[in-house]
Every structure is written in structure tokens, then in C-alpha cells.
Amino acid sequence: MKLFVGLGNPGQKYAKNRHNIGFMALEQIASDHGFGPWKAKFRGQISEGRLGREKVLLLKPETFMNNSGQSLRAALDFYKLDSTDVIVFHDEIDLAPAKVRVKTGGGHAGHNGLRSIHAHISPNYDRVRLGVGHPGHKDKVPSYVLNDFAKADQNWLDDVLRGIGDGAAHLAEGDTAKFLNAVALRAAPARPSTGTKGPNAKIAPAAELTPPKEDDRTAMQKLMDKFR
């Protein structure tokens, strides 16, 4: 069994914040793969289903970001899972918007949700780092992540979330390369100039045939008459 954890803050006030992209990712997976209804448990919201051959529990902690580890610890203890069964989806300011990376272990880089998880279950878990960009100065980070995505972000955000839904089964089965490829096919489809087919690739129109000019037809006719 795998435990997918999305990080965010509860309530409509925060629902569209950059900090809540982890919640958004889990909601996309639940919708795309027919997971069960969300239920209150472990100081969060859970939904159960299957991804490929794996049974998967989706968890959205409602302890607020800074205490995410409390909810996750309760779920791990109940299902008798290990930290290595956990995959956390979270916003990443050190990645450009639409960039997605998978990481195992390591530090929390100042992310308060990850800091809490480190303290409650150890750093030995997988993370899906969802790039949201950086505001340019560290003092602006709190207000930046606690503000909604801009309208200009909606296209790439929708593409990334759909890609996560497409590749979720690969992630659950441990094939991160196929997962990332599924996201890339949505977020950065191949262009016609690359010669590779992709979701947005267009077939170039066939070249139009130009009829011969009058002088050319006359010359051809004289040549044909010469050999008759």
C-alpha cells in the first residue's frame, strides 16, 4: 500500500494558493482514477482507491501546513506503514513554474510542511516537487506562496495537474521516469519542428503543385515533336 500526501492549508480561503498545489494534485488523481469519497480521518481528509496494481491512500492533512507531520504520523501508525511507503506532493519555489521533479530523502530546504514531516516520520520518504517559481527575494516568499495562482498560470497549472493524473499509476509502482514523462507530455508537448509527434503536434500540409508556365509547355511540346 502507498500513502500519497498532498500538502496545503484547509479551507476555501487557501484553496487556490500556490502553497496548496499538493492538495490540487491529490484531487486530480482522485478524480481521474475514480477514488472513493473524501472522509475526515487522521486530522485530515482521506480517499482510497487503486493505481495500477497498487492500493493507494490519499491524505490531505488539515492541521495547517506547519503541522502536516502530525496527520501523516497518525495515518502511518494506523496502517502500519513505513516512511518509505510515503510520497509527498508539495510546492517548490526553487523550481520554475511547470517544472516537476521527484526526490528521495534529503533536507526540507526551509519548507515548513516538510520540516514537520521530517520531525514526525524521518526524512526517508519520496517527494514530488511541484515548481511554482520564486518571487525574487526571500522576504516575499510567505506572501507569494499564500497568494492564489495568477490567471496567467492557469494553462500550465492545468497541464501539470493532468499530467500528474496521467502518470499517477507509474509513480505508485515506482517508475518515476514514466511518471515524469507523462507530466512532460502534458506540460511540454513536442513541437512539430522537432519531428516528434505529441498531443499538440500538427501535420504539415502537403506542398502545393505549381502548374508549368506557358513558355515551359511550349518548350516541352517542341521537344516532344522533335522525337516523333
Side-chain angles (χ1 to χ4, degrees), residues 105-125:
H108 53 66
H111 190 293
N112 287 331
L114 298 182
R115 189 195 304 273
S116 176
I117 292 173
H118 274 48
H120 284 86
I121 75 167
S122 88
N124 300 318
Y125 58 92

Side-chain angles (χ1 to χ4, degrees), residues 29-48:
I29 292 171
S31 175
D32 287 355
H33 295 275
F35 272 57
W38 292 95
K39 299 178 181 179
K41 199 169 185 178
F42 310 123
R43 300 181 69 184
Q45 292 288 323
I46 65 167
S47 179
E48 296 184 43

Side-chain angles (χ1 to χ4, degrees), residues 73-120:
R73 179 76 261 175
L76 280 185
D77 289 345
F78 182 86
Y79 288 102
K80 296 180 172 58
L81 298 174
D82 187 76
S83 64
T84 56
D85 298 313
V86 174
I87 301 176
V88 176
F89 295 74
H90 66 90
D91 59 306
E92 178 58 78
I93 60 171
D94 291 329
L95 287 178
K99 295 293 184 183
V100 177
R101 298 289 184 268
V102 178
K103 179 180 179 181
T104 300
H108 53 66
H111 190 293
N112 287 331
L114 298 182
R115 189 195 304 273
S116 176
I117 292 173
H118 274 48
H120 284 86

